[in-house]
Structures are given as structure tokens and as C-alpha cells.
Amino acid sequence: MDFVGAYAPAHLKFLLEGFVVTLEVAFLSIFFSFLIGIIIGVLRYSRIPFLSPVLAVGVETIRNLPLLLIIFFTYFALPEVGVKLDKFYAAILALVIFESAMLSEIVRSGLNSIEKGQIEAARSSGLTYTQTLWHIVLPQALRRMVPPIVGQFISLLKDTSLAVVIALPELMNHAQIINGQNVNYVIPIFLLVAVMYFVVNYSLSLVSRRLEHKHS
């Protein structure tokens, strides 16, 4: 094991460049999947005729597919129908599709956890269904959803490493390039990569705990 050679300034800079790409992909995927997940979760909770069952089929289908397959689809299959995406955007699209399905189920479960008595009381006081959902149900449900949602965000950050299969220049891709230079770099580099993932993911888990404690 060559720690000195593995942790050369050029290698550290190269890894950080890959980590920046990882964080960019993760942030954009989290942002869009969270918005889409809330919309789909609310629509499924509302039980709109025809629309809700169709969304349920779509969500269950995506949730039971491997993320790797969706990445292959967005990068290799879409060009066959005239939609060619850069590696960066193909990875984001795949993650958004997959994580939106996961988050929508968390949102739907959170909404269903709110006591029916509160909804009936709100409706009897004159609030419309939309007002009840927006002012009574959704705020309480979101507080209950914080831990599983943050947990899903952590999973998403780790899942960005799967984009290595399409050679996205993210952290794992750069780690493999460095490891290819010298077999003695493998353990030091992967240890450093593990620390980088751990620091970000553990920080997210601490934020989740603070938010959960604040709203408990």
C-alpha cells in the first residue's frame, strides 16, 4: 500500500473534482425528485379517478426496477428514439425517475399517517379539501417524513456511484482512474473515498436528527 503516492496533491485534486460532480448530480437529483415526489404522492393520496391508479402502476413499476437499468435506459436507450443526453444529465434523469418514485411513496405514507379526525374537523370548520391538505395535512406529514426522506437522500448520494458505468466523471470514476495507475493505490484511495462519502452522509443524518428533535 502506497499512501504517500496515492495521496499526492494531483490525486487529491482529481478526487475532489470528481466529488464536486457527485455533489452536483446529487443536489440536482434531490431537488427535482423531491418536488416530483411530493406532487405524485399528493395525487396518489387524493385518489383521483384514473390518474391515481395510473400513477400507482408507474410508481410500483419503477420501484421494482434496478437503478442501474434505468441509468442504462436514459443513456443508451433514449438515443435510439432521438433523445441523446450528456452523461451528466442522463445520470440526473435516471436518479430523478427512480428517487421520485421512492419519495412519492414516503409522501403518500406520511399523508396517510395523519389522523382522519383532524381532516374531518378541518372540513367541518369550512375549509375546502385543498385548504385542508395544504394547511393541515401536508405540514404535519412533512414533519413526520423528515427521517425517511433524509434517509432516501443519503441513499441517492450513494447511488450516484452507479453512474460510473456510463463513465460519468464523478468520485468513483476518478478513483478507478487513479487506481489504474498503480495497484498499491487501491486501498488508500478507496479508504479516502469511503471517508468522503461518510462525512457527507453522516452530516445529513445529523441534520435529520436535529430537525426531528426540533419538531418533536
Side-chain angles (χ1 to χ4, degrees), residues 50-204:
F50 181 73
L51 180 58
S52 294
V54 169
L55 289 174
V57 171
V59 167
E60 290 305 316
T61 300
I62 293 170
R63 289 179 67 223
N64 287 284
L65 293 177
L67 175 56
L68 192 60
L69 177 62
I70 299 175
I71 293 174
F72 282 146
F73 179 84
T74 58
Y75 189 66
F76 295 112
L78 286 184
E80 297 297 319
V81 294
V83 182
K84 184 172 178 58
L85 297 175
D86 176 80
K87 295 172 184 176
F88 183 81
Y89 295 107
I92 290 175
L93 178 59
L95 286 165
V96 168
I97 291 172
F98 186 76
E99 297 299 334
S100 293
M102 297 298 185
L103 288 169
S104 70
E105 192 61 21
I106 293 174
V107 171
R108 189 179 71 88
S109 298
L111 292 171
N112 282 327
S113 72
I114 303 302
E115 294 75 13
K116 300 299 181 184
Q118 294 191 45
I119 299 173
E120 293 170 358
R123 295 301 302 277
S124 63
S125 67
L127 294 179
T128 65
Y129 177 81
T130 303
Q131 290 173 328
T132 301
L133 184 63
W134 184 256
H135 296 291
I136 306 297
V137 180
L138 197 54
Q140 294 185 73
L142 283 174
R143 286 196 291 270
R144 297 182 183 183
M145 290 180 228
V146 168
I149 285 178
V150 174
Q152 196 60 44
F153 289 165
I154 291 172
S155 294
L156 188 154
L157 180 61
K158 291 184 289 187
D159 287 343
T160 58
S161 62
L162 292 174
V164 71
V165 298
I166 58 173
L168 178 71
E170 45 77 59
L171 181 57
M172 285 300 297
N173 175 265
H174 283 200
Q176 287 187 338
I177 291 172
I178 295 172
N179 290 337
Q181 299 175 9
N182 190 327
V183 69
N184 293 320
Y185 293 167
V186 173
I187 292 179
I189 290 297
F190 280 152
L191 283 175
L192 181 57
V193 167
V195 169
M196 296 168 79
Y197 275 117
F198 173 80
V199 168
V200 177
N201 288 330
Y202 187 66
S203 299
L204 284 173

